[in-house]
């Protein structure tokens, strides 16, 4: 069961990046600003995830803080997608993240744990 949950978690992470890019592109007024904001949004989300939430994160956070930051990141992107007229994608992204976190905790695991198998 754990491998399936970890795959779902990885898919959620990828969708988070895609969602940030979609929302960033929606913010632009023209092609160039949309492109710049799409890239910038993806980079910001990637840096936050990589620096503080990934298993090889540079900064070690307590589990409660990690979960709060992770949910805040997903919720922010979901609201951005909602505003960009992608309500279903935003709602599905947030719901999937909550379900994956719940499944991890139900299995006795925690987000950000490193699996070297």
């Amino acid at each position: 069961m754990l491998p399936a949950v970890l795959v779902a978690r990885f898919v959620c992470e990828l969708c988070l990046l895609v969602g940030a890019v979609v929302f960033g592109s929606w913010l632009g007024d023209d092609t160039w600003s949309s492109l710049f904001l799409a890239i910038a949004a993806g980079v910001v989300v990637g840096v936050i995830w990589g620096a503080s939430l990934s298993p090889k994160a540079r900064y070690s956070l307590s589990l409660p803080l990690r979960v709060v930051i992770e949910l805040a990141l997903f919720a922010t992107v979901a609201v951005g997608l909602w505003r960009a007229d992608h309500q279903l994608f935003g709602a599905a992204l947030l719901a999937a993240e909550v379900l994956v976190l719940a499944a991890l905790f139900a299995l006795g695991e925690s987000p950000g744990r490193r699996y070297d198998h």
Side-chain angles (χ1 to χ4, degrees):
M1 180 74 162
L2 180 61
V5 173
L6 293 176
V7 168
R9 181 166 171 77
F10 181 66
V11 170
C12 282
E13 293 168 15
L14 292 177
C15 289
L16 176 69
L17 281 171
V18 170
V21 168
V22 169
F23 175 56
S25 70
W26 176 79
L27 290 172
D29 293 331
D30 58 25
T31 302
W32 290 110
S33 64
S34 292
L35 181 62
F36 173 77
L37 291 170
I39 292 169
V43 167
V44 167
V45 167
V47 166
I48 291 171
W49 191 275
S52 59
L53 300 173
S54 76
K56 295 181 181 181
R58 167 176 254 153
Y59 304 103
S60 178
L61 303 175
S62 67
L63 181 59
L65 182 58
R66 171 185 291 277
V67 171
V68 166
I69 291 172
E70 186 171 330
L71 286 173
L73 197 57
F74 273 89
T76 301
V77 171
V79 168
L81 288 167
W82 191 278
R83 298 242 329 140
D85 268 346
H86 295 287
Q87 290 88 359
L88 185 58
F89 183 26
L93 177 66
L94 189 56
E97 170 63 9
V98 169
L99 289 173
V100 165
L101 281 178
L104 278 175
F105 286 123
L107 292 171
E109 299 293 331
S110 64
R113 181 170 167 229
R114 195 170 179 171
Y115 298 93
D116 293 328
H117 304 261

